[in-house]
């Protein structure tokens, strides 16, 4: 999976958290792998709770704001 501290740190060198959207290959990646990915991101000092909220949900909601729910 590409959302790990090494790749995220490289990505954050080029852009800010408000331009990143998280994705996964679920169900092809087992649930423990996803939990590990989220735990690693949560422990990154570069990402505070506001940045994580944007990456996990906020940016996608903004990107797809015209879609009906």
């Amino acid at each position: 999976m590409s959302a790990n501290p090494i790749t995220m740190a490289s990505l954050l060198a080029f852009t800010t958290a408000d331009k990143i959207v998280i994705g996964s290959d679920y169900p092809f990646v087992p649930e423990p792998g996803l939990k590990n990915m989220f735990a690693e991101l949560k422990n990154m000092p570069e990402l505070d709770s506001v940045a994580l909220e944007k990456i996990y949900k906020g940016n996608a909601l903004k990107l797809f704001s015209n879609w009906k729910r």
Side-chain angles (χ1 to χ4, degrees), residues 24-61:
S24 75
D25 290 331
Y26 184 81
F28 302 106
V29 173
E31 188 174 334
L34 293 174
K35 287 182 179 181
N36 183 52
M37 175 189 72
F38 287 111
E40 285 183 336
L41 295 179
K42 186 177 180 181
N43 290 325
M44 288 185 64
E46 301 93 338
L47 298 174
D48 61 13
S49 61
V50 173
L52 287 171
E53 165 60 25
K54 289 178 182 180
I55 292 170
Y56 292 162
K57 182 179 176 183
N59 294 337
L61 289 174

Side-chain angles (χ1 to χ4, degrees), residues 12-28:
L12 289 167
F14 289 98
T15 192
T16 57
D18 58 339
K19 304 245 184 338
I20 301 172
V21 178
I22 197 77
S24 75
D25 290 331
Y26 184 81
F28 302 106

